[in-house]
């Protein structure tokens, strides 16, 4: 079994800026899931991906690898932070209106259980708690395939017009 989630046909890169400002976030997420838009390059490096997207909710899955270890011999907390930040931000993105953009303004992660490459596939699920015109908040969890909690977190995203500098 391949330890990486992608295959040699997977495309990685960025979404063209014109698409970002002319297409609603949920539609862009669905196009990425369908392979019509590239996956972010960092998802290849960190071995995780978006698997589901609906209005206000997303699921990411990934497998931590020994390449993600810290000097203590466990997966670096930044890996859990990265997959959670991705899920927490993308659930907000599904609600961002056309012509607007979002960025993480603040996020907090509580790591409650260590991970190793033996942990196997993990699931990050995030939901929007509040969607305003300028700020949005979300909350999410990171769990093992059998439901053990590994981490949980919250995020605040700034909503802005990318054409206003």
């Amino acid at each position: 079994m391949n330890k990486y989630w992608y295959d040699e046909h997977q495309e990685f890169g960025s979404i063209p800026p014109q698409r970002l400002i002319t297409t609603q976030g949920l539609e862009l997420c669905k196009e990425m899931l369908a392979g019509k838009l590239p996956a972010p390059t960092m998802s290849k490096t960190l071995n995780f991906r978006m698997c589901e997207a609906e209005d206000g909710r997303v699921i990411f899955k990934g497998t931590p690898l020994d390449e993600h270890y810290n000097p203590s011999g466990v997966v670096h907390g930044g890996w859990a932070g990265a997959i959670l930040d991705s899920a927490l931000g993308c659930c907000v993105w599904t609600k961002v209106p056309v012509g607007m953009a979002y960025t993480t303004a603040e996020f907090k992660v509580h790591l409650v259980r260590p991970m190793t490459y033996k942990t196997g596939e993990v699931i990050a699920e995030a939901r929007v708690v509040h969607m305003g015109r300028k700020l949005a908040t979300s909350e999410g969890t990171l769990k093992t395939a059998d439901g053990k909690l590994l981490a949980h977190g919250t995020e605040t995203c700034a909503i802005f017009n990318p054409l206003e500098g």
Side-chain angles (χ1 to χ4, degrees):
M1 183 174 101
N2 186 353
K3 65 182 181 177
Y4 301 104
W5 66 266
Y6 56 88
D7 63 34
E8 67 274 5
H9 305 295
Q10 175 70 50
E11 287 190 42
F12 295 93
S14 298
I15 297 171
Q18 188 62 27
R19 288 296 313 281
L20 289 171
I21 61 170
T22 60
T23 310
Q24 202 273 334
L26 179 57
E27 184 178 335
L28 293 168
C29 289
K30 289 184 176 187
E31 287 185 38
M32 281 196 315
L33 289 169
K36 295 177 182 175
L37 290 172
T41 306
M42 72 170 281
S43 66
K44 181 178 183 180
T45 302
L46 296 178
N47 202 38
F48 63 72
R49 70 206 177 284
M50 186 185 331
C51 295
E52 293 180 32
E54 59 187 51
D55 186 38
R57 179 181 163 273
V58 298
I59 292 179
F60 275 66
K61 293 182 180 178
T63 304
L65 306 171
D66 56 358
E67 292 99 294
H68 304 129
Y69 275 25
N70 64 24
S72 300
V74 295
V75 175
H76 192 283
W79 190 90
I83 192 172
L84 273 170
D85 180 37
S86 295
L88 291 162
C90 283
C91 73
V92 168
W93 193 25
T94 67
K95 297 183 83 56
V96 172
V98 172
M100 299 298 280
Y102 80 99
T103 190
T104 301
E106 179 271 339
F107 78 103
K108 183 170 185 168
V109 175
H110 301 273
L111 305 167
V112 300
R113 191 175 265 116
M115 290 183 282
T116 69
Y117 69 90
K118 293 178 184 176
T119 302
E121 185 176 72
V122 299
I123 299 112
E125 182 173 2
R127 296 177 186 278
V128 172
V129 175
H130 167 76
M131 186 70 196
R133 289 181 317 158
K134 299 283 184 184
L135 291 175
T137 59
S138 55
E139 62 186 9
T141 59
L142 182 64
K143 296 180 179 179
T144 62
D146 64 354
K148 289 181 187 165
L149 184 66
L150 298 165
H152 57 98
T154 58
E155 182 155 300
T156 301
C157 290
I159 311 300
F160 65 96
N161 183 333
L163 302 177
E164 291 180 356

